[in-house]
Amino acid sequence: MLDIFELRRDLHQHPELGFTEFRTACKVVQTLQALGYEVIYGQDAIDGPSRRGLPAQEVLDSAYERALQHGADPKILQKMKGGYTAVVGILRGEQPGPTLAFRFDMDALPIVESTDTDHPPQAGGFRSQFQGNMHACAHDGHTTIGLGVAEALAGQELRGTIKFIFQPAEEGVRGAYAMVEKGILDDVDYFFCAHLGCDVPTGQVHGGTEGYLATTKLSVHFGGVASHAGADPEKGKNALLGAATALLNIHAIPRYSTGDTRINVGVLEGGTAANIIPEHARMVVETRSESEETNSQLVERVRQIVEHSAGMHGLTYSIEIAGGAIPITCDPDMVQLAREAAQGIPGVHTVSEQMAHSTGSEDASYMLRRVQQNGGQATYMIIGASNPVPHHHPRFDIEEESLPIGIEWFRRIALRVLGNEVS
């Protein structure tokens, strides 16, 4: 039987960034196979060309070797080489019926975890062993819940099929789109996913969420000409100056009357020395809006600004979509089903009648959209998990009492959707 607390702490100690979740995905495959699930992973579970924001080859290779050093099975890992870290576990019932899918994300964040003595992972001896990486958004808990639900449902008599989708690269909203493009969601009738925490206390749950914003992440590169900054400055073409011009004008894009908007240049880098005209510069931009159409308009404005900023300074440029998400609309029937399933779960003291609200972005939105486009229904739930600081913080942690709540909630949902009594 899985020790879910030990599992979560092991995952917390070994956080892996998007498309480098080699050790994590390997553990997921091993666990699902041991439970008797049909398992597809690697290139069978994700569309390679559709992956967004894929790390450089040397980063992928280094993470692969690190996973081997930390106990990953080389035979399983071989199919994941190159960043193919998606996993799908399938349980087929004895009787025909609908297809239900649950999604759990696996990746961590590029954050140095706190060493404060009162930080629970530090005090408990399960702080990140991978310096510079941290599970600061509860995805270690999500993966744990997914495997816990898989164990709870293994051997159940089901009317239909369950897919457990373990998704890479949620951070930066990069991985879900490529799994959708692979067709993983095409036969799904009902889809549920959830997030731990989100400023909701342990013991409170929400059957649906609203407010998630459409977003696009853009990686922009400027190319110039290097020259001596003192002897021949006029012979250079300053890529960093072009990028700075773009930054100022991107942040000058006006707000929209058609819906809330956000825009940010989160990375600006370039140059090599004080006496060299910068030949290369790079920036990372994100747009967000509650309106998918408005977000697209923001992206087009950014493209125009980049083009004209490069032209002003005689530069070349390229723009790559490094991530994206769309708004989420939860189906009322699924929200209500989730609320009913949560009633009476040990540890749950509040089943909220309100939708949870967030102004972040979530790439599971593509999965919900695909299911709904095909005539299915879906919702995105919140599992309360009291945390001492906000998500994406070096001292982030979750109350582990939320884990059995999440497992039992998903288990009950599965049995309701597939027509069996909840026991």
Side-chain angles (χ1 to χ4, degrees):
M1 184 172 179
L2 288 176
D3 183 328
I4 59 171
F5 303 113
E6 180 182 331
L7 173 60
R8 182 257 164 169
R9 294 182 179 198
D10 176 78
L11 295 174
H12 192 89
Q13 281 185 295
H14 302 91
E16 298 169 298
L17 305 184
F19 297 123
T20 73
E21 308 95 331
F22 296 111
R23 183 185 182 276
T24 304
C26 181
K27 185 174 286 287
V28 169
V29 171
Q30 289 174 312
T31 304
L32 291 174
Q33 288 178 339
L35 291 170
Y37 280 72
E38 175 188 340
V39 184
I40 61 174
Y41 62 99
Q43 296 189 47
D44 295 330
I46 192 166
D47 182 60
S50 299
R51 292 173 299 170
R52 295 165 163 175
L54 189 68
Q57 189 60 50
E58 58 267 26
V59 174
L60 293 171
D61 291 344
S62 175
Y64 186 91
E65 291 302 319
R66 183 183 62 190
L68 287 171
Q69 294 167 11
H70 284 263
D73 185 326
K75 291 183 180 179
I76 293 175
L77 217 57
Q78 182 62 36
K79 286 186 66 174
M80 300 179 186
K81 201 160 193 175
Y84 292 92
T85 46
V87 182
V88 181
I90 303 172
L91 185 63
R92 303 185 191 276
E94 295 293 327
Q95 303 174 51
T99 297
L100 166 67
F102 296 150
R103 176 276 213 164
F104 308 95
D105 42 14
M106 302 183 290
D107 58 323
L109 286 154
I111 294 175
V112 177
E113 185 164 10
S114 172
T115 57
D116 293 349
T117 55
D118 61 344
H119 177 51
Q122 173 72 16
F126 60 97
R127 179 186 177 273
S128 171
Q129 294 183 11
F130 296 168
Q131 186 67 7
N133 293 2
M134 180 192 173
H135 272 297
C137 200
H139 295 188
D140 50 342
H142 298 171
T143 304
T144 299
I145 288 173
L147 292 177
V149 181
E151 180 183 50
L153 292 173
Q156 290 274 355
E157 293 185 10
L158 302 174
R159 183 181 58 83
T161 299
I162 302 182
K163 287 186 174 183
F164 286 78
I165 299 171
F166 291 87
Q167 181 210 310
E170 190 284 323
E171 301 296 351
V173 286
R174 296 175 290 154
Y177 178 78
M179 295 192 79
V180 169
E181 290 300 293
K182 188 66 177 179
I184 298 299
L185 281 297
D186 286 354
D187 62 346
V188 172
D189 302 296
Y190 302 100
F191 178 79
F192 293 79
C193 56
H195 206 299
L196 286 162
C198 301
D199 299 321
V200 176
T202 303
Q204 179 174 321
V205 297
H206 292 259
T209 310
E210 61 185 7
Y212 276 115
L213 302 176
T215 185
T216 304
K217 319 298 184 186
L218 301 168
S219 179
V220 182
H221 294 263
F222 293 87
V225 175
S227 183
H228 194 290
D232 300 296
E234 76 283 1
K235 295 179 181 177
K237 294 181 180 179
N238 193 319
L240 188 55
L241 184 57
T245 300
L247 180 150
L248 292 173
N249 284 279
I250 287 169
H251 277 278
I253 293 174
R255 304 308 92 184
Y256 272 64
S257 61
T258 53
D260 284 346
T261 58
R262 310 278 193 278
I263 198 157
N264 188 53
V265 177
V267 175
L268 177 65
E269 57 189 15
T272 54
N275 62 346
I276 302 173
I277 301 296
E279 184 179 11
H280 300 288
R282 169 179 171 263
M283 64 193 308
V284 180
V285 187
E286 72 163 21
T287 62
R288 296 186 199 244
S289 176
E290 62 183 359
S291 161
E292 194 173 346
E293 181 181 357
T294 299
N295 182 67
S296 296
Q297 293 172 1
L298 288 175
V299 171
E300 182 56 32
R301 286 204 177 199
V302 170
R303 290 183 182 277
Q304 292 173 357
I305 287 170
V306 168
E307 177 186 355
H308 291 292
S309 297
M312 286 174 63
H313 299 280
L315 309 173
T316 61
Y317 73 93
S318 64
I319 302 175
E320 174 194 356
I321 295 179
I326 53 181
I328 285 176
T329 300
C330 297
D331 289 295
D333 287 349
M334 296 301 99
V335 174
Q336 185 59 30
L337 186 152
R339 289 172 180 160
E340 292 173 359
Q343 298 288 343
I345 292 177
V348 172
H349 56 71
T350 304
V351 179
S352 178
E353 290 298 313
Q354 304 298 317
M355 300 284 276
H357 187 81
S358 173
T359 52
S361 301
E362 168 60 71
D363 74 343
S365 55
Y366 289 114
M367 296 185 175
L368 274 86
R369 172 75 62 86
R370 179 58 62 89
V371 171
Q372 291 165 334
Q373 285 176 335
N374 289 338
Q377 298 186 79
T379 190
Y380 190 102
M381 310 176 301
I382 300 296
I383 304 166
S386 301
N387 42 281
V389 295
H391 291 249
H392 295 206
H393 188 284
R395 286 173 50 86
F396 180 83
D397 190 41
I398 57 169
E399 282 194 351
E400 291 181 332
E401 290 81 358
S402 61
L403 300 178
I405 291 173
I407 291 170
E408 179 62 9
W409 197 13
F410 274 102
R411 186 188 77 87
R412 291 186 179 201
I413 288 169
L415 297 184
R416 283 175 180 267
V417 171
L418 299 180
N420 294 286
E421 278 191 38
V422 177
S423 59

